[in-house]
Amino acid sequence: MNKEPISEEEIFKELDFYQSQDCKYSDGRILGSMCTQAHPIAQKAFIQFLESNLGDPGLFKGTKAIEDKVLKMIGSFLSIENPVGHIVTGGTEANIMAIRAARNIARDEKGISQGEIIVPQSAHFSFKKASDILNLKLREIVLDDSYQLDASFVEDEINENTVAIVGVAGTTELGMIDPIEELSNIALENNIHLHVDAAFGGFSIPFLKEIGYGLPEFDFSLKGVKSITVDPHKMGLAPIPAGGILFRNEEYLDSISVNSPYLTIKHQSTIVGTRMGATSAATFAVMKYLGKDGYARLAKESLDNAIFLAESVKQLGYELVVEPKLNIVAFNHPKLETDDLAQLIEKRDWKVSCSSCPKAIRVILMNHIKREHIVELISDLKDISESI
Ligand SMILES: *Cc1c(COP(=O)(O)O)cnc(C)c1O
């Protein structure tokens, strides 16, 4: 480190140099990210609340009220009037908190000491972290031929040590929606915590349903659902890192609270201690600004873009993995290995990502990918297909 101070001008020259090496969402060439450019109004609120620390909410009562308001607003489209939870550091922290609550309650109420959780093969890898950190055995359920979770397979894996079942509403790789209603019934019959991971789908499915898309139920209207992860920093257009965890009632949060003696509050239940208030303020701003109509419009636009891309790649001779349910399109070329195809697309300056189950090119139609980018992508895919 430098001993003498360096001028602001010099510092920013250097920072700009490094930043110029980053990809930018606004270029429209990042195809494989579930995050996107934060809405301008969210950026503005974020900066205004930079110093607020929700780890010590007694000092930031106003920001705490904002966080509560955000949870209530999210609850209003997830069929719960008074959710209990937090705006946290992304979907991973949210999922770990949910599984921790399930484990602690099962331990205290049923005396389970060697717990297990049941997750679909399509579940996000954050559940591997959760199982490792919380010392729970992970039982993975294989998907059926259409990459869908079969609820009866879940039933077969339940035993006396099961502390939680996880269902996903909008899988990370393919945007599939698990049969949450069936999982809810199974969870209720067996008195097991059902956690729904809607990190990706939580800010789109409810709005698509509202404007007439026939998507399945996945929220607190299903009695077995005890917690839901929903990430403002994905389809909610909030800045990174904004995750959300909502519980059905206070009992769950209590089960993961520890004493926090030197703070202005007595208990803390998040994994991290000092934590941003800025993300809550930013999420508040963008949610108010867009309203349900705004999110419905964005979700529809993204889904329309996905359907447009899916139809186009099919016409070019590519094979879709599944018809898109949400704004993710996964495909392969019948004559190419996925990795080789990925390389050819990368060569044309696109940032691609591949799914693992099955192996495929995976394009997430986030808000930063506009029609003109898709048209350009299709033209490149046409060239690639014609050159082999
Ligand atoms: C993105 C994602 C996560 C993890 O969220 P982070 O914000 O990256 O921690 C968890 N579950 C699903 C379904 C996701 O799509």
Side-chain angles (χ1 to χ4, degrees), residues 97-322:
M97 283 173 70
I99 299 302
R100 182 167 168 231
R103 181 199 66 171
N104 288 1
I105 288 174
R107 180 191 61 204
D108 298 344
E109 289 180 0
K110 301 183 195 165
I112 297 176
S113 59
Q114 293 288 308
E116 304 186 358
I117 57 173
I118 300 176
V119 308
Q121 196 180 7
S122 51
H124 186 264
F125 56 81
S126 47
F127 293 101
K128 295 206 167 92
K129 297 182 186 175
S131 99
D132 184 39
I133 294 168
L134 299 168
N135 197 23
L136 298 166
K137 181 174 171 185
L138 191 73
R139 284 187 183 264
E140 271 192 350
I141 309 294
V142 289
L143 304 178
D144 68 16
D145 295 341
S146 48
Y147 307 102
Q148 196 75 64
L149 178 71
D150 185 331
S152 65
F153 292 177
V154 171
E155 212 154 12
D156 294 342
E157 292 295 324
I158 293 175
N159 62 34
E160 70 281 2
N161 290 323
T162 310
V163 302
I165 298 169
V166 173
V168 189
T171 61
T172 311
E173 293 204 328
L174 301 176
M176 305 295 276
I177 303 170
D178 290 338
I180 307 296
E181 187 163 3
E182 285 174 70
L183 294 180
S184 169
N185 291 336
I186 293 170
L188 285 175
E189 273 163 33
N190 293 278
N191 186 26
I192 293 169
H193 185 115
L194 173 60
H195 172 63
V196 174
D197 184 359
F200 179 63
F203 264 92
S204 65
I205 301 168
F207 305 111
L208 290 171
K209 280 167 74 79
E210 198 133 322
I211 56 173
Y213 287 83
L215 296 170
E217 294 296 331
F218 73 99
D219 65 17
F220 288 107
S221 61
L222 305 169
K223 294 283 175 281
V225 175
K226 304 299 188 218
S227 52
I228 301 182
T229 288
V230 45
D231 282 359
H233 72 194
K234 291 182 175 171
M235 293 298 284
L237 299 194
I240 296 163
I245 179 67
L246 276 70
F247 291 102
R248 188 175 276 281
N249 61 46
E250 202 72 55
E251 175 198 3
Y252 301 95
L253 215 52
D254 287 349
S255 78
I256 54 174
S257 291
V258 297
N259 290 333
S260 48
Y262 57 83
L263 299 180
T264 52
I265 39 151
K266 299 233 155 29
H267 304 286
Q268 191 174 85
S269 54
T270 47
I271 309 282
V272 297
T274 300
R275 65 188 179 92
M276 287 192 156
T279 43
S280 283
T283 305
F284 179 91
V286 64
M287 288 183 76
K288 290 261 177 189
Y289 191 80
L290 291 174
K292 290 185 177 173
D293 288 350
Y295 282 116
R297 184 175 44 76
L298 286 168
K300 182 179 182 315
E301 197 176 283
S302 305
L303 183 53
D304 286 347
N305 280 340
I307 292 167
F308 173 62
L309 175 63
E311 289 308 314
S312 307
V313 296
K314 267 199 290 192
Q315 274 171 22
L316 294 174
Y318 291 84
E319 287 164 351
L320 281 191
V321 173
V322 284

Side-chain angles (χ1 to χ4, degrees), residues 79-90:
S79 309
I80 188 164
E81 213 183 306
N82 292 306
V84 181
H86 287 296
I87 298 303
V88 292
T89 314

Side-chain angles (χ1 to χ4, degrees), residues 327-370:
N327 49 319
I328 301 182
V329 179
F331 62 90
N332 276 304
H333 193 282
K335 292 202 196 120
L336 282 172
E337 293 294 325
T338 305
D339 287 337
D340 296 336
L341 176 56
Q343 254 184 19
L344 291 172
I345 303 172
E346 288 260 358
K347 252 198 214 148
R348 288 166 183 258
D349 205 24
W350 297 97
K351 304 293 163 198
V352 290
S353 99
C354 294
S355 59
S356 65
C357 176
K359 195 108 213 240
I361 304 291
R362 154 183 177 266
V363 180
I364 304 151
L365 283 303
M366 297 301 286
N367 189 242
H368 59 266
I369 303 179
K370 308 293 182 199

Side-chain angles (χ1 to χ4, degrees), residues 49 51-66 264:
F49 281 79
E51 71 177 39
S52 121
N53 170 19
L54 278 179
D56 205 356
L59 300 178
F60 301 94
K61 292 200 173 86
T63 313
K64 178 66 196 138
I66 292 171
T264 52

